[in-house]
Amino acid sequence: MSASVSVYKYHHNFARLRISLLSTLGLCISACSTLTPAAPKPVIETPSVALVLGGGGAKGFAHVGVIKTLEENGIKPTLVVGTSVGSLVGSLYASGYNPQQLEQLALNTPDSELTDFVFSNQGFIEGIKLKNFINAKVGGRAIEDFPMRFAAVAAEKQTLKKAVFTTGNAGLAVQASSSVPNIFIAPRIPEKVGKKYIDGGVVSLVPVDSARDLGADIVIAVDVTAPSPSTKSKTNNILPAITSLSSFWALLENNLASNATLAATNHSSSMRHERERADIVITPDVAHISSIDTSQSSILISAGSQATAPQINAIKQLIKEKSNSKYATL
């Protein structure tokens, strides 16, 4: 074989080897680049939205209308905080009831399912039926097992110190939150051995501060006790309810009078200021309504819807602003 042929083969083989090495190196570089982790995309946190449902007896049917309109517009809270009737409606909502189911319950639940009269110097409604009603409707689940966070606000009977129940027996928490002084017998928590608790409206009628304490970024508060120009006086609004002692809702509505007496010395001014610390305040026009028949319940639900609709754009804008703010801090 001539020297020129040998040199040709040598260069030819070297060229092939070089191409092979370059190809292999290219594959390695490509593989390495695909294995390099991509920069993590920031997770946009949605703000915590609290729906705060205030006390107000029969007028609390308006809470159902508020919930209905919020959900129809794609607004679903992550936390519900309620006082008195607000805790009753709120516990059912937080446990998974949709607005339509809440409306059916509001319209079709007879007072006999909630009212248990007893002879006692502590009150004349025992409250056990209310506790059992709630526990049955939520499937016996504890508050911490609800799909939505929930808190019921009550007050220690002896000290009038605010108590916020976020765990434990749902029915018992609602019973405590709704125990109007001198009408309902104050339950003990824990049962039989714990402290006695009364209606949360004594210390926090619209529990905005409790929602803030639980981490809410946005607070939507519903006040069904705000007076309207058509209401001449609080007394005129309450007297018809007092004559209806067989009605659970009429008796619960009297917390406006009982709690006003207990709160007059220290708490009434601070409770007004508490409501104003909400981001959005919804005030259904229900001050003139005190009857609790089915037709009035429908009117109350409608009033809640009508008061909520004008606030929808403001709520959505607030959620958008809070979301952008959280994104910017990541």
Side-chain angles (χ1 to χ4, degrees):
M1 182 181 294
S2 67
S4 60
V5 173
S6 297
V7 170
Y8 170 79
K9 285 187 175 181
Y10 170 78
H11 284 293
H12 179 70
N13 290 336
F14 179 78
R16 289 179 61 188
L17 178 61
R18 184 182 179 190
I19 292 170
S20 177
L21 287 172
L22 288 174
S23 298
T24 303
L25 181 60
L27 288 173
C28 289
I29 293 171
S30 175
C32 288
S33 66
T34 58
L35 292 173
T36 302
K41 292 182 180 179
V43 178
I44 300 177
E45 293 184 26
T46 55
S48 170
V49 179
L51 178 62
V52 172
L53 305 177
K59 296 175 179 63
F61 283 108
H63 291 321
V64 177
V66 172
I67 293 168
K68 186 176 180 181
T69 299
L70 288 175
E71 290 227 350
E72 284 173 352
N73 287 275
I75 299 167
K76 193 175 181 71
T78 53
L79 166 68
V80 180
V81 183
T83 288
S84 196
V85 66
S87 75
L88 193 160
V89 175
S91 67
L92 296 172
Y93 180 43
S95 76
Y97 281 75
N98 63 41
Q100 291 70 35
Q101 292 169 324
L102 289 175
E103 186 170 10
Q104 287 306 307
L105 275 177
L107 297 176
N108 299 318
T109 300
D111 290 325
S112 59
E113 285 194 40
L114 304 169
T115 313
D116 43 7
F117 290 97
V118 293
F119 292 101
S120 170
N121 58 7
Q122 300 177 55
F124 52 89
I125 299 291
E126 191 171 14
I128 302 299
K129 275 195 172 183
L130 171 60
K131 178 185 73 173
N132 291 343
F133 173 83
I134 294 296
N135 282 334
K137 295 302 179 185
V138 304
R141 287 171 294 170
I143 294 172
E144 61 268 29
D145 295 327
F146 287 178
M148 188 186 297
R149 290 176 67 205
F150 171 69
V153 176
E156 290 183 18
K157 184 177 181 180
Q158 297 302 320
T159 64
L160 296 186
K161 181 181 177 181
K162 182 172 71 172
V164 182
F165 297 103
T166 57
T167 60
N169 187 305
L172 185 59
V174 171
Q175 180 190 358
S177 181
S178 306
S179 289
V180 181
N182 304 317
I183 295 178
F184 290 74
I185 296 176
R188 292 182 183 272
I189 300 177
E191 290 183 285
K192 298 182 179 179
V193 297
K195 296 177 181 178
K196 289 184 176 181
Y197 291 90
I198 59 175
D199 194 301
V202 172
V203 292
S204 185
L205 190 61
V206 185
V208 171
D209 291 345
S210 297
R212 295 286 188 203
D213 292 342
L214 290 168
D217 298 308
I218 298 170
V219 176
I220 303 167
V222 186
D223 184 3
V224 296
T225 67
S228 71
S230 60
T231 305
K232 292 183 180 180
S233 73
K234 188 179 290 184
T235 303
N236 290 340
N237 190 40
I238 290 173
L239 285 176
I242 295 175
T243 64
S244 181
L245 294 180
S246 63
S247 164
F248 171 83
W249 298 107
L251 293 169
L252 193 62
E253 191 166 341
N254 282 293
N255 68 359
L256 300 179
S258 301
N259 292 345
T261 301
L262 284 171
T265 53
N266 299 317
H267 302 294
S268 56
S269 176
S270 64
M271 281 196 286
R272 284 196 300 272
H273 290 307
E274 180 180 12
R275 189 196 82 160
E276 300 310 317
R277 286 193 284 274
D279 297 291
I280 301 287
V281 180
I282 298 171
T283 54
D285 184 13
V286 295
H288 60 290
I289 302 173
S290 136
S291 179
I292 46 76
D293 60 40
T294 301
S295 64
Q296 292 297 316
S297 301
S298 298
I299 292 171
L300 286 161
I301 292 170
S302 262
S305 293
Q306 290 167 11
T308 307
Q311 302 270 28
I312 292 298
N313 287 339
I315 295 171
K316 287 184 174 180
Q317 181 62 30
L318 191 57
I319 292 173
K320 182 180 178 181
E321 289 173 0
K322 291 284 185 180
S323 297
N324 290 339
S325 174
K326 280 205 162 191
Y327 177 78
T329 62
L330 293 175

